[in-house]
């Protein structure tokens, strides 16, 4: 069957969102991908991934998110309790 990424993309499209996928292979690539999002995306929807979602990468993402008023939608309460959470 379809992967979680394919299901998420299809669901987003069905609800009128235009997903921007940024495949990454390592932590540096994940940080670079997140840095390229302002101007391309209105929000970030995180899926569980050991490369793209870790403490090092998320520190950078939350800073980018805060500076650019770009919400991050995630899957874990752990990251929803930090200084940038609502």
């Amino acid at each position: 069957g379809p992967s979680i990424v394919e299901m998420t993309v299809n669901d987003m499209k069905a609800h009128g969102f235009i997903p921007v996928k940024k495949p990454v292979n390592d932590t540096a690539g994940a940080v670079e991908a997140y840095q390229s999002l302002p101007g391309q995306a209105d929000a970030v929807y995180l899926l569980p991934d050991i490369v793209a979602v870790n403490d090092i990468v998320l520190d950078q993402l939350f800073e980018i998110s805060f500076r650019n008023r770009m919400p991050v939608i995630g899957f874990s309460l752990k990251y929803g309790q930090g200084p940038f959470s609502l």
Side-chain angles (χ1 to χ4, degrees):
S3 71
I4 188 170
V5 173
E6 293 168 328
M7 289 187 297
T8 301
V9 166
N10 290 337
D11 195 43
M12 291 174 81
K13 287 179 180 178
H15 288 90
F17 294 96
I18 302 169
V20 177
K21 295 191 304 184
K22 298 280 184 173
V24 299
N25 296 314
D26 55 30
T27 297
V31 170
E32 185 177 308
Y34 291 140
Q35 289 172 337
S36 74
L37 287 175
Q40 294 183 26
D42 295 321
V44 176
Y45 185 81
L46 293 176
L47 294 174
D49 184 283
I50 60 172
V51 173
V53 182
N54 62 54
D55 289 341
I56 295 167
V57 173
L58 289 177
D59 284 347
Q60 294 289 319
L61 174 59
F62 292 148
E63 184 177 326
I64 292 164
S65 167
F66 184 73
R67 271 185 299 172
N68 293 280
R69 303 185 70 173
M70 186 173 55
V72 176
I73 302 163
F75 56 88
S76 173
L77 287 176
K78 173 183 176 183
Y79 299 112
Q81 297 171 347
F84 300 113
S85 61
L86 295 175

